[in-house]
Amino acid sequence: MKPLTRAEEEIMQILWDIERGFVKDILTPMTEPKPAYNTVSTIVRILERKGFVSHKSYGKSHEYFPIVSKDEYRTFIIKRMLEGYFDSSFAKMSQFFKNDESLNTKQYQ
């Protein structure tokens, strides 16, 4: 598994939420300015090549759905962050969040 680009991740977040949909269904919840239909279609096909998405064909239309779960991707990203920034130590990561005032969890509760 490889990390997703910001655009790929935005589309995956939508697919995880809606569970399956056509390109128009992916475009609907996107914030303005929305990308072009063809741009979203291209990104979804890239996600399919990367193994994150599959589709069911209805003639020329394709209904897309995730084949990598949000939990699987979240675990991958957190492990990557632990390895890359905290020497694979959950304790070091926890200490970082505890000590960083800008990441004070009280403001997010």
Side-chain angles (χ1 to χ4, degrees), residues 5-108:
T5 66
R6 182 176 291 144
E8 292 166 348
E9 191 168 326
E10 181 180 7
I11 288 172
M12 284 305 299
Q13 291 288 352
I14 292 168
L15 278 171
W16 285 321
D17 287 343
I18 66 174
E19 297 181 1
R20 56 189 327 110
F22 298 91
V23 172
K24 66 178 180 57
D25 301 319
I26 297 167
L27 265 167
T28 300
M30 295 181 109
T31 57
E32 295 292 342
K34 294 183 183 201
Y37 180 97
N38 288 340
T39 301
V40 173
S41 179
T42 298
I43 294 169
V44 171
R45 285 181 305 203
I46 290 168
L47 286 165
E48 192 166 22
R49 280 196 304 272
K50 287 183 170 185
F52 282 83
V53 170
S54 191
H55 74 274
K56 182 173 181 179
S57 297
Y58 299 93
K60 292 185 178 183
S61 296
H62 295 85
E63 183 180 38
Y64 296 97
F65 52 91
I67 54 176
V68 172
S69 74
K70 190 173 190 175
D71 284 342
E72 288 171 312
Y73 187 68
R74 180 181 3 212
T75 299
F76 165 75
I77 289 298
I78 290 171
K79 281 182 180 179
R80 184 178 163 106
M81 185 174 60
L82 273 170
E83 292 166 2
Y85 295 97
F86 302 103
D87 301 321
S88 299
S89 169
F90 186 75
K92 285 182 182 180
M93 184 175 78
S94 297
Q95 191 65 40
F96 169 80
F97 285 111
K98 180 181 175 190
N99 292 340
D100 192 321
E101 292 294 320
S102 68
L103 298 172
N104 184 340
T105 56
K106 291 178 184 172
Q107 64 188 352
Y108 299 110

